[in-house]
Amino acid sequence: MDPESVYKSVVEKDNKYVMPTYGRKPLLFTGGKDSTLTDIFGKEYIDCVAGIAVNATGYSNQKLIRAIQEQAACLIHVSNYYYNIPQANLAEKLVSITGLSKVFFCNSGAEANDGAMKLAKLHTKKNSFISTNNAFHGRTIGALGATANIKYRDPFVPLVKPATFVEYGNAPAIEKSITSDTAGVILEPIQGEGGVHVSNKEYLQEVREICDKKDLVLIFDEVQTGFGRTGKWFCKDHYGVLPDILTMAKAIGGGLPLGAFAAREGLSFEKGEHGTTFGGSPLVCAASLAVIETIEEQKLIQNADQMGRYFVEKLSKMKRDDVVNIRGMGLMIGIELNHECGYFMDAAAEQGVLLNVTAGNVIRLLPPLTIQKEEVDRVVAVIESIQKK
């Protein structure tokens, strides 16, 4: 079939058989290389979405492909009733780079946050949590309770013990909201879906002190900020603040479904207290190890830091009068405009750049950590060229 016929067939099948939850753009991708995606018609796009911070090592990464192929050839899945080599090796590596003690493997970020809150409840024998305004922690029925956005929450209320929401960056507000039933606090070091709001060292240190004083479990949701995205292994590393539990997903699996959370010494599930069928399968763990090795070997954390600074420098020189603020860390950047800007996604795609808009008026940039200066220059030129509506 010719590309146009294939495209029409895929759209027809998707519309007919897939639940319409995503509001798809009229694009069908069939391949990619490094920071570039190619659609079915052969048009190339610089990708500043990266599967929403998933494809950190870029497209067609050969180490990742080989790891998946080699593991698939010998063992794709085995029950967690048994040991498996990649899972043990990955757990060791995650403990090393997080600075925590033990790891639980699951399948997504929402599951990781669900599991983290479940562990906090088990440890404290308490039931409620404190989250923040604009927070996003997932859409499963447990994680949704800690997600602030009413468009995600309202259709499903009453929720199971929803969190208390306080102003992001306001540690005293957290302390004032603590009750005798508070199990813990869950925070994103940078709020992604909420508009790329960056915390600071003093705030996180103060929250850490409050949790220590009140014997609460502090959970950092690093699903979006982990694995080099901000110019460190994890965003917490910029601040020197260690949570009790750290949740991970997105970039961890290189595009395969993998989530995890790591917890400090003395904070762990025991036999039968939690579980999942697919979490930590040999295939996804082998892929994750290849992702981590690629990040190390190609110095992608350093590139994220350098290209992030370069990105912000170039964006700051744009000749636009509608920019309110440019903020972020590493290759997690938000451009806040003084108007709704959802149309930027289609306008940029027409010029061969993929970007995302969140919180209505914030252009969010999450490119692969492999992006280079000439690609940054092109992305900035496209953003600058899009006229305000």
Side-chain angles (χ1 to χ4, degrees), residues 337-379:
L337 304 183
N338 61 13
H339 56 88
E340 295 284 317
C341 59
Y343 63 90
F344 268 65
M345 296 171 69
D346 292 335
E350 289 178 7
Q351 298 187 59
V353 170
L354 302 177
L355 50 80
N356 171 248
V357 170
T358 189
N361 68 326
V362 179
I363 301 168
R364 177 173 52 169
L365 303 174
L366 298 164
L369 307 188
T370 57
I371 197 167
Q372 297 298 309
K373 281 188 174 181
E374 59 271 19
E375 294 168 316
V376 171
D377 292 342
R378 175 62 183 153
V379 171

Side-chain angles (χ1 to χ4, degrees), residues 305-359:
D305 178 61
Q306 293 165 7
M307 289 301 100
R309 294 176 190 275
Y310 183 70
F311 231 136
V312 170
E313 177 187 343
K314 296 290 288 187
L315 289 167
S316 299
K317 295 177 180 177
M318 289 191 303
K319 295 177 181 178
R320 298 194 66 99
D321 61 6
D322 55 352
V323 176
V324 175
N325 185 260
I326 298 168
R327 55 182 179 257
M329 191 175 283
L331 287 172
M332 184 174 182
I333 300 167
I335 310 163
E336 182 180 351
L337 304 183
N338 61 13
H339 56 88
E340 295 284 317
C341 59
Y343 63 90
F344 268 65
M345 296 171 69
D346 292 335
E350 289 178 7
Q351 298 187 59
V353 170
L354 302 177
L355 50 80
N356 171 248
V357 170
T358 189

Side-chain angles (χ1 to χ4, degrees), residues 2 16 21 33 191 201 216 234 285 297 377:
D2 64 279
K16 186 174 182 179
T21 56
K33 177 68 175 175
Q191 290 187 324
K201 184 174 184 177
L216 306 182
F234 296 94
C285 288
E297 292 169 2
D377 292 342

